Amino acid sequence: MTTAEHPNSGTVHTVAAGHPAAHATLGAALHAAAPGDEIRIAPGTYEEALRIDRDIVLRADGGTVTLAAPGGTTPALEVLPGARLTLDGLTVRGGAADRPAVLLSGGVTHWHGGGTDRGRLEVLREAALTMTGARLTGAALAGALIRTVGAVRLTDCVLEGAQGTGVVVGGDSRLELTGTRIKGATGSGVRVREDAHIVLRDCLIDGAGRSGLLFEDRSAALLVDCRIRDCGGEAVRVLDSSPVPRDGDPYEAADGRIPAQADGGLLLYGCELTGAGADALHVAGSGDAVLDGCVLRDGGGAGATAGERARVRLADTRIVRTTAAALTAHGTARLEARGTTVRGSSANGVLATGSATVSLTDSEVTDCRFSALHAGGGAGLTLTRLRAGTTPEHGLHAVADSRLTLTEVHLTDCGMSGLDLSGAAAAEAAELSVVRCRNGVVAASGGTVRLTGCTVTDAERAGLTFGGGDAELTGGRVLRAGTAGLVFQDGATVRAADVDITEAAGSGMVVAAGAAPDVRAVRIVRPGKNGLIVDAKGAGTFEDCDITGPGFPAVHLGEAAAPALTRVRVQDAEADLSTEDGAAPTVRDCVSWKVEDAQWPAPFAPVPATAASGAQTTGAPAGDGTTTTVPPAEENLDDLLGELHELIGLDRVKQDVASLVKLMRMVQRREAAGLAAPPLSRHLVFAGNPGTGKTTVARLYGRILAAVGLLEKGHLVEADRSALVGEYVGHTGPKTQRVFMEAMGGVLFIDEAYSLAPAHATGGNDFAQEAIATLVKLMEDHRDAVVVIVAGYPVEMEHFIDSNPGLASRFNRTLLFEDYGTQDLVQIVEQHASAHQYELTDAARDTLVGYFDHVPRDGRFGNGRSARQTFQAMTERQAYRVAENDAPSEADLRTLSELDVPELELPKQDLPPAELPDGTAGAQARPQPYPSGTGGPVQQA
């Protein structure tokens, strides 16, 4: 019997060669079948060519069923327009590998299992195909050719061993592959052309001889959780593509949702591109690609290249172990990355040339064999919150006409410079940090350079070096440079302001012959050599600079050097100025304090709050890091408590010290009565911002303890990290012990104690832990002979105490020094004025209130020190004002008016409204007489 009624799909026809109750051939069964019938086929090979023109089901009836073309170029299976074919378990073999085995020129085909084992699959015109669990092998030129307007979906299929391209997709095709593997194609794995769009989910493209994916023309693709590995060429090559739609741009989407289809460009989500023989991703022409959450690794070229007019965007992507530069951009391409990590490049981490633009945000570039980032030609780099380094070359190298815009960039461990600018490269950097590089920043280019808030730490050589060009350095710090802190080479005309240079092993600033920088408000602390050295024939302007504790004369001028020195202040030095023959400096209002060989006069002596005590201060040798204050003998406790009470502000501290005094007196009375004394720790933590009176109170505390009888002398020894920590093995212990023994019978005051245990310390050759251990042991051995006070910022001091159990058990009481309020600061200014025989007018006091209300309370604000500096600025302004009077009276010489208060400038919208002539309020109708910001003076009406 050849047919049977099937309850669901019409008549069932059977095919079995040699069976009398079945059709002998598929053609005979097909001829007998009506639309909607099913043909069940017994195992075997059927050499026939079928053309399907109706709705039919071809199903293998157990075992392997192969439909083989009888030869020639005719496909073994063709589906015509209007037909609807279901294939279940059939394998189709074409007549030749380079010809189609299956030709779908129309209709709808559903194919489950089976596949092809010679010849390719072609889906053309309006044909639609759904294929599941099929295996396509033995094709030449292409394993599958898709060129149709019908939908094509392949699920859990395998395309293997194509002698050419695995899948070619063209025209207006829409192809979707899910869980499909394309393996061993000698050409590209998938080639997408013209206006075709493809979607790949959880697919594998393995071992393609050329590119894993190749895109051309106006094509588009969406890849989700796919792997492309071990291709002979690029993993993904884009010669051109459609653009990613601007509306709902997946790179900009806040919720991170993956699109449902490929609407434009190339979108890769959670994909891995590994082992490519060339670039992992190469985008050229007008190609547009977005990668999110991807991994690109172990390639024979770049990680991602953007060339010509291309645009490439990466998010949360890792690029690991590339042979060429990990990220490359040239031509006029745009490359953007955020949350992206580059590691292990055998060349640069980022390479930008031509007129390309590269933007990296919240990313990291490390462990590169060449410079971490290199910009050449006219390329532009915009880097925001980037971390880069661990390279034998530069962290960031810019040459030719390239342009850099840097914000919060952190460069570490570079064998050359952290930032190196040459040629005509231009750079604008804010909050740049350079740590442990051979050179910090070298700006020897002829381009415009603007550095704001730059920090260079532990450079092996110079901190910042400037050559020619238009350069400006504003704010920032140089810490522990291996040679000079700041170097101005021949031709440098840099403008530098508000920079701290601390503990440079060489000189603080070096000015070469032919350089003429404009330097203002630079603070140089404990340089190993000179604070400022101007070489022969060097020049420049240096104004309002401070040099403290230099190892050599504070300022040294070479032969014929001619700098202008204005209000340069030198402290704790052997000499303030040394000159060679022909040096011709212009010196104005420069002062020296605690300088053995001083050519400049001493400034007004500072007026500490303890001036009435008559305590004497003797300085240790310059650069030693210690200072000893010796109190007068036989002081009265009540007088000392009164002196404490007279200090401005510090109400909370006064109360704490008074409580301690009461406790000490009670301890003495119990001991006198023969009772056991309660445990009492006299060691203290002073936590507060700079200038809040910590040293003043420490000095008083020692004198109070001596008056109570708990200390023999009560003198104060001030020390910092440099006084305690040695420079080589075996140096720290004796150094710490010497300072401690100097404080026997008194108070050892360690300022910035947190520097002995920094919060992000990494160990290495830092001997600070040895200093802490030595200090803890000495405190135990001499618990009744020395009081130790550690001081610094509140948060940092908490970390310091927690860093060592011995510290935590000995420092169990903290005194918090709060910032001075406006009225306190005004009182401090008045105190300085009174001590120096000046008087403030009421208007001056009112103006000072406005000044201190508006002065920024940022990291540069110094509380009492800022008040003292304000007073000094007022005396200077008063001197200039009175100098215009040929015969000033004594009142003129003594009076400080509101005109003498230094002025700051607020943005215009922040000025309070003034009154108009009719009494109404006008918007900033006239300038205000008080300071209001951080800029220059307000112009008076």
Side-chain angles (χ1 to χ4, degrees):
M1 184 174 179
T2 59
T3 62
E5 293 297 328
H6 193 276
N8 297 319
S9 56
T11 303
V12 175
H13 306 265
T14 60
V15 177
H19 195 289
H23 294 290
T25 65
L26 291 172
L30 183 62
H31 179 74
D37 286 355
E38 176 182 329
I39 300 175
R40 292 185 178 178
I41 309 167
T45 299
Y46 300 84
E47 293 188 2
E48 303 180 52
L50 300 183
R51 301 181 80 237
I52 309 298
D53 59 359
R54 72 200 80 167
D55 294 356
I56 205 75
V57 177
L58 299 178
R59 177 171 287 121
D61 193 9
T64 300
V65 175
T66 301
L67 174 63
T73 61
T74 302
L77 177 65
E78 181 178 359
V79 178
L80 302 177
R84 187 176 185 89
L85 172 65
T86 297
L87 294 174
D88 188 354
L90 267 68
T91 297
V92 180
R93 180 183 300 152
D98 60 352
R99 304 298 296 178
V102 177
L103 174 61
L104 308 181
S105 57
V108 176
T109 300
H110 298 279
W111 194 338
H112 310 284
T116 62
D117 66 5
R118 182 171 62 204
R120 65 178 171 269
L121 167 67
E122 289 191 3
V123 186
L124 307 178
R125 301 183 182 93
E126 299 179 358
L129 170 66
T130 299
M131 179 178 278
T132 305
R135 186 180 188 89
L136 308 179
T137 63
L141 299 181
L145 172 62
I146 315 297
R147 190 180 181 87
T148 178
V149 296
V152 179
R153 295 182 177 88
L154 276 64
T155 302
D156 297 329
C157 295
V158 176
L159 287 79
E160 188 170 16
Q163 298 300 303
T165 304
V167 179
V168 177
V169 189
D172 293 311
S173 299
R174 299 295 184 264
L175 170 64
E176 183 173 334
L177 306 179
T178 302
T180 294
R181 292 177 292 167
I182 302 172
K183 304 173 63 176
T186 60
S188 297
V190 178
R191 182 180 183 183
V192 189
R193 305 178 58 188
E194 300 164 325
D195 294 292
H197 290 196
I198 67 169
V199 175
L200 277 65
R201 302 180 189 274
D202 191 25
C203 293
L204 168 66
I205 300 175
D206 188 7
R210 295 184 180 176
S211 303
L213 286 170
L214 175 62
F215 295 89
E216 301 173 79
D217 306 319
R218 299 162 302 280
S219 57
L222 168 64
L223 278 72
V224 181
D225 298 329
C226 294
R227 293 170 295 155
I228 305 174
R229 68 189 186 194
D230 300 332
C231 299
E234 301 86 353
V236 177
R237 185 180 185 188
V238 183
L239 299 178
D240 227 324
S241 78
S242 60
V244 173
R246 290 184 177 273
D247 295 335
D249 187 337
Y251 183 78
E252 303 297 338
D255 57 10
R257 288 181 299 179
I258 298 174
Q261 58 189 8
D263 292 324
L266 173 63
L267 311 179
L268 280 74
Y269 293 87
C271 296
E272 293 187 10
L273 314 182
T274 62
D279 296 349
L281 171 68
H282 186 100
V283 185
S286 297
D288 195 347
V290 172
L291 280 70
D292 193 335
C294 296
V295 176
L296 288 60
R297 60 179 173 84
D298 298 318
T305 292
E308 299 177 2
R309 304 171 305 282
R311 185 181 186 188
V312 175
R313 288 162 288 176
L314 303 96
D316 301 322
T317 292
R318 292 187 295 126
I319 304 175
V320 184
R321 294 186 299 273
T322 58
T323 301
L327 293 173
T328 301
H330 57 84
T332 59
R334 293 175 293 166
L335 190 152
E336 305 165 40
R338 68 181 184 196
T340 292
T341 299
V342 171
R343 183 174 291 114
S345 169
S346 295
N348 301 111
V350 177
L351 174 63
T353 58
S355 299
T357 59
V358 175
S359 173
L360 273 67
T361 304
D362 296 321
S363 298
E364 182 177 2
V365 181
T366 59
D367 297 311
C368 302
R369 187 170 297 177
F370 298 168
S371 296
L373 300 99
H374 179 94
L381 262 63
T382 300
L383 310 176
T384 304
R385 295 183 298 279
L386 173 79
R387 302 179 68 86
T390 315
T391 168
E393 294 193 357
H394 305 293
L396 176 52
H397 190 204
V399 302
D401 296 302
S402 57
R403 309 170 312 283
L404 307 180
T405 303
L406 315 178
T407 305
E408 296 182 36
V409 171
H410 189 65
L411 306 173
T412 62
D413 300 303
C414 304
M416 295 182 178
S417 302
L419 171 62
D420 189 275
L421 307 171
S422 60
E428 184 168 338
E431 305 302 325
L432 170 68
S433 173
V434 181
V435 180
R436 295 186 303 274
C437 298
R438 190 178 190 186
N439 297 293
V441 175
V442 177
S445 72
T448 300
V449 178
R450 300 283 184 270
L451 303 179
T452 304
C454 174
T455 299
V456 178
T457 305
D458 295 325
E460 182 182 336
R461 294 188 177 179
L464 294 104
T465 301
F466 291 93
D470 178 15
E472 185 173 308
L473 174 65
T474 304
R477 298 179 297 165
V478 180
L479 308 176
R480 298 182 295 276
T483 56
L486 191 53
V487 177
F488 303 101
Q489 296 177 333
D490 184 12
T493 57
V494 182
R495 298 175 299 282
D498 196 20
V499 179
D500 291 326
I501 302 173
T502 303
E503 296 181 354
S507 297
M509 289 189 290
V510 175
V511 181
D518 181 357
V519 178
R520 301 173 187 272
V522 170
R523 296 164 291 278
I524 302 172
V525 179
R526 294 188 295 276
K529 296 183 179 180
N530 305 104
L532 167 64
I533 181 168
V534 182
D535 285 345
K537 298 182 181 179
T541 300
F542 304 87
E543 185 173 328
D544 291 316
C545 296
D546 293 276
I547 302 173
T548 302
F552 291 6
V555 179
H556 177 79
L557 307 180
E559 183 179 354
L565 308 175
T566 302
R567 293 186 299 281
V568 175
R569 295 172 288 274
V570 176
Q571 180 176 335
D572 295 327
E574 295 180 359
D576 50 14
L577 178 65
S578 65
T579 60
E580 297 182 15
D581 293 343
T586 300
V587 179
R588 180 181 179 186
D589 297 330
C590 295
V591 295
S592 296
W593 184 38
K594 295 168 63 176
V595 174
E596 296 180 12
D597 181 11
Q599 298 189 35
W600 297 337
F604 292 127
V607 183
T610 55
S613 69
Q616 296 179 346
T617 301
T618 60
D624 181 75
T626 62
T627 302
T628 304
T629 301
V630 181
E634 299 181 1
E635 294 188 288
N636 181 272
L637 178 60
D638 292 334
D639 291 341
L640 292 173
L641 293 175
E643 187 174 325
L644 175 67
H645 181 73
E646 290 300 319
L647 294 179
I648 295 172
L650 304 177
D651 293 340
R652 182 172 176 178
V653 172
K654 294 172 187 176
Q655 182 178 351
D656 289 342
V657 172
S659 298
L660 282 171
V661 170
K662 291 177 182 179
L663 180 59
M664 294 170 193
R665 282 177 162 174
M666 184 271 293
V667 169
Q668 286 182 316
R669 289 168 182 166
R670 287 182 61 87
E671 290 176 339
L675 300 173
L680 174 64
S681 175
R682 298 172 295 174
H683 308 301
L684 299 175
V685 177
F686 282 9
N689 292 322
T692 49
K694 296 187 293 294
T695 306
T696 299
V697 173
R699 191 176 292 116
L700 260 175
Y701 184 62
R703 293 160 61 196
I704 288 172
L705 292 181
V708 172
L710 294 178
L711 283 178
E712 180 182 353
K713 300 177 182 177
H715 66 294
L716 183 79
V717 174
E718 298 178 54
D720 56 16
R721 176 189 168 99
S722 66
L724 303 174
V725 179
E727 300 174 359
Y728 49 84
V729 175
H731 189 206
T732 296
K735 194 172 185 179
T736 302
Q737 187 172 14
R738 181 186 63 79
V739 174
F740 190 90
M741 291 306 173
E742 186 179 339
M744 290 292 287
V747 174
L748 175 58
F749 181 78
I750 305 175
D751 199 10
E752 297 181 359
Y754 52 81
S755 65
L756 297 174
H760 303 291
T762 56
N765 295 325
D766 191 351
F767 302 115
Q769 289 300 321
E770 181 184 352
I772 292 176
T774 303
L775 185 64
V776 168
K777 184 178 186 303
L778 290 170
M779 291 170 66
E780 179 63 25
D781 294 342
H782 305 279
R783 65 169 66 100
D784 295 326
V786 175
V787 168
V788 178
I789 298 176
V790 291
Y793 294 105
V795 175
E796 285 82 349
M797 290 307 297
E798 287 184 15
H799 171 80
F800 170 69
I801 297 302
D802 292 341
S803 68
N804 185 293
L807 294 176
S809 64
R810 288 164 177 80
F811 293 98
N812 52 24
R813 185 183 296 270
T814 298
L815 271 60
L816 180 61
F817 287 71
E818 298 174 340
D819 287 348
Y820 287 117
T822 294
Q823 292 300 330
D824 295 333
L825 295 169
V826 173
Q827 279 189 265
I828 293 172
V829 172
E830 288 191 277
Q831 186 182 67
H832 283 285
S834 176
H836 292 89
Q837 297 181 312
Y838 285 96
E839 296 177 356
L840 271 67
T841 65
D842 291 340
R845 293 186 187 90
D846 292 341
T847 304
L848 276 172
V849 169
Y851 176 85
F852 287 123
D853 276 344
H854 291 81
V855 72
R857 303 294 179 101
D858 54 19
R860 294 188 292 272
F861 181 71
N863 282 289
R865 182 178 68 248
S866 293
R868 175 175 58 80
Q869 292 171 342
T870 300
F871 165 69
Q872 291 178 341
M874 291 177 68
T875 61
E876 293 170 3
R877 293 167 66 91
Q878 186 248 28
Y880 295 139
R881 179 171 56 80
V882 173
E884 299 177 359
N885 189 343
D886 294 334
S889 65
E890 181 179 345
D892 292 332
L893 297 173
R894 293 174 60 94
T895 300
L896 296 176
S897 74
E898 70 277 11
L899 299 176
D900 302 321
V901 176
E903 295 167 342
L904 305 171
E905 186 167 338
L906 268 182
K908 185 175 182 182
Q909 63 269 22
D910 292 340
L911 290 174
E915 291 185 358
L916 297 175
D918 61 0
T920 60
Q924 294 83 44
R926 61 172 181 261
Q928 302 303 305
Y930 56 82
S932 50
T934 58
V938 175
Q939 297 299 318
Q940 300 298 318

